[in-house]
Amino acid sequence: MSLPLEDYAFVGNTRTGALIGRDGSVDWLCLPRFDSDACFAALLGEPAHGRWSLSPAGRTGATRRYLGDSLVLATDFTTEGGAVRVTDCMPVEGAHDSLIRRVEGVRGSVEVETEIRLRFDYGLTEPWLRRDGDRVTAIAGPHTVAVDSPVPLQFRDGTLSGHFRLHAGDSVDLCLTYLRHGESAGPVPPAAAAIAGARNWWQGWADRCTVGGRYRDPLIRSLLTLKALTYAPTGGILAAPTTSLPERLGGVRNWDYRYCWIRDATFTLLAFLDAGYTREAVAWREWLLRAVAGRPDQMQIMYGLHGERRLTEMELDWLPGYAGSTPVRIGNAAAGQFQLDVYGELMDALHQARSSGIEPDPDAWRVQRDLLDFLESRWSDPDEGIWEIRGPRRHFTHSKVMAWVAADRAVKDVERFDLDGPVPRWRRLRAEIFDEVCAKGYDAGRNTFTRSYGSPEVDAALLLMAPVGFLPATDPRIVGTVAAIERDLCRDGFVQRYRHEPHPGAGHGRDTGADGLPPGEGAFLAASFWLADNYLLRGDLGRARATFERLLEVGNDVGLLAEEYDVDAARLVGNFPQALSHLQLVNTALNLTQAAGPARHRAEEARR
């Protein structure tokens, strides 16, 4: 049985990360990068696909927490005979990528068991195991992992296992280290010092946050999660450290999110800037500029951690999937889609960076001008849209709105920063897009903007129209759109992206909500934060707070959110932890904290 996602915590070192269950099992770990092949893949299959279990025999309970504002995880296990604490961390500043697990006796006398099944290539390849004193080395092709344990580990069927007894005050330290070709692990650093160093590193980073207020704790936890999802060598921020966690349990909506989405650009920039993390914002801008370098028509919606463009999608048929959800995919074919909205997101991100006083990059404006030149001839084309449909292209309203954002930010950059550009032409483009959206993307009879031109459906992405400044949140058309989304897409306060079933008025069997996939998924948590932002922008602080605090309740006990929430099952679903969910938590928390004057809200910036 797959553990609920709520039972997992995340530890990482800004290069990769692990999911550790409440039961003490490391069920997901890719080495040496987030997007490398997993050596522990039980999350998407069974223990035989790789895991590292470490817990007492006969445990009767488990509680856990992060130590302070850090990614050091402490889990307290109880048994009839006593209690032990397992502390897990991945040192950020170590010479190698390592996972350290320290077991300490807290009370009484406790028998502890460990089992390490390293299975490279996402659970497919069993390694050779070699012993050298307290170290066991696992080797398979390009992969080498060293396991250091003062406790004797037994070999059986490619699995390491051991057991030991701890009394109060005793401790045992275990360490797993990834070695690149030609590297040697060297002596294992003292676990206590490594744990203290990791905790101090994360706490020092968290202390740079300049925001206080009633939501500081969830805000800090989300910022720490975002920092942990930042690939330090390049500054790229991946959407999630996992692949193929289903948007519907048992379903086929299972995607690889271990890449960097252009769509998250502005959300990310504002989250870091408004919380006091200018260095991270600059690094993200630099990653964006490197990734999109080249011809504008070759710009992708997502890239690899180093800006890689080929993210070939394939299915791993030997993995049965999380909760039986297949197929398990690696790579992401959506990288080849045409999505207009990403041009607006990139333009907005670079505009926000400039407006925030970040030192200008000499290439940024050239990139923006090239993007506008391309967009002028392509904005009227249909696309796959923000939700990356795997069906026919459409004229999505949100896509056109973001094309408007691109033109709007270009005009503002020239007007405010004395940059060179054909402003009269861009103003005409901006007006042309605005008029078309209001004419073709708006249903006057229902008083709502629609998912796509001529569609009777609404779409959660329409909640971004006011935040990006297309229209004020108090405009009757936006108020009507929010009401339609509340009516058609909300369940128990949570917003779905769109309806999958045919709309009653579609006629002739036409499924205007279809996206080329079988129906069914959870509520999209980021969209629920967007709803709170709309309430706030129109002055309804009480409703905004209530919506935000309802969302906080679905986070797990260590403050982590997935992409979606299954209202019926009352479970988190989708890849986990999800950067966009945490980005939206940060931005909405910042806006609520500074409700008298929203913290650099996109709508505030757009109106200036």
Side-chain angles (χ1 to χ4, degrees), residues 261-262 265 283-293 346 349-350:
W261 264 253
I262 298 296
W284 174 237
R285 183 196 65 177
E286 297 308 305
W287 182 91
L288 287 169
L289 290 172
R290 289 195 308 273
V292 303
L346 182 59
L350 296 176

Side-chain angles (χ1 to χ4, degrees), residues 276-560:
Y277 294 97
T278 304
R279 289 202 299 270
E280 284 72 15
V282 171
W284 174 237
R285 183 196 65 177
E286 297 308 305
W287 182 91
L288 287 169
L289 290 172
R290 289 195 308 273
V292 303
R295 299 202 326 250
D297 62 316
Q298 294 179 330
M299 179 174 154
Q300 297 184 180
I301 70 164
M302 72 180 85
Y303 296 87
L305 302 178
H306 281 270
E308 299 93 336
R309 292 170 176 256
R310 284 192 293 273
L311 309 179
T312 305
E313 185 175 301
M314 62 180 293
E315 298 178 2
L316 308 184
D317 58 8
W318 61 88
L319 286 172
Y322 178 86
S325 306
T326 56
V328 171
R329 297 180 176 95
I330 59 171
N332 199 313
Q337 291 186 349
F338 174 56
Q339 296 179 22
L340 279 168
D341 63 295
V342 298
Y343 294 90
E345 289 292 354
L346 182 59
M347 290 290 290
D348 197 17
L350 296 176
H351 169 75
Q352 301 286 358
R354 196 174 284 114
S355 300
S356 301
I358 292 178
E359 184 176 349
D361 184 288
D363 294 324
W365 183 239
R366 179 176 58 82
V367 168
Q368 289 180 264
R369 289 200 58 165
D370 289 345
L371 290 176
L372 255 294
D373 288 344
F374 172 76
L375 204 58
E376 281 184 278
S377 64
R378 294 296 302 274
W379 75 267
S380 58
D381 292 349
D383 72 335
E384 277 91 1
I386 184 174
W387 306 127
E388 301 168 9
I389 63 165
R390 300 205 173 192
R393 291 179 176 179
R394 304 180 194 178
H395 292 284
F396 288 105
T397 301
H398 170 262
S399 296
K400 309 301 186 186
V401 168
M402 294 310 296
W404 175 91
V405 167
D408 178 74
R409 302 318 190 249
V411 169
K412 286 181 169 59
D413 279 340
V414 172
E415 292 174 340
R416 296 181 193 174
F417 304 108
D418 197 29
L419 298 169
D420 179 53
V423 172
R425 195 177 84 212
W426 290 345
R427 287 197 187 107
R428 288 193 297 272
L429 174 65
R430 180 175 64 179
E432 182 182 358
I433 299 172
F434 183 90
D435 291 343
E436 181 178 293
V437 168
C438 292
K440 296 182 178 180
Y442 176 68
D443 183 338
R446 297 175 62 219
N447 186 32
T448 181
F449 285 96
T450 60
R451 184 183 183 201
S452 58
Y453 291 175
S455 167
E457 298 283 354
V458 291
D459 178 328
L462 300 172
L463 291 169
L464 292 170
M465 296 180 77
V468 300
F470 186 82
L471 284 170
T474 53
D475 185 286
R477 291 166 291 183
I478 296 295
V479 173
T481 301
V482 172
I485 289 170
E486 290 171 328
R487 181 178 61 249
D488 293 353
L489 300 182
C490 280
R491 290 194 58 201
D492 196 24
F494 299 100
V495 182
Q496 291 185 296
R497 297 186 299 170
Y498 48 85
R499 296 204 317 184
H500 296 278
E501 298 77 13
H503 189 276
H508 307 293
R510 180 182 172 206
D511 183 357
T512 57
D515 55 9
L517 294 164
E521 64 173 346
F524 193 69
L525 292 178
S528 303
F529 287 111
W530 299 341
L531 180 61
D533 288 338
N534 275 264
Y535 293 147
L536 183 60
L537 282 171
R538 71 189 193 196
D540 193 344
L541 178 59
R543 214 165 168 195
R545 285 197 189 280
T547 301
F548 179 77
E549 290 173 4
R550 177 75 177 92
L551 287 162
L552 293 183
E553 292 174 0
V554 304
N556 72 358
D557 58 316
V558 289
L560 300 181

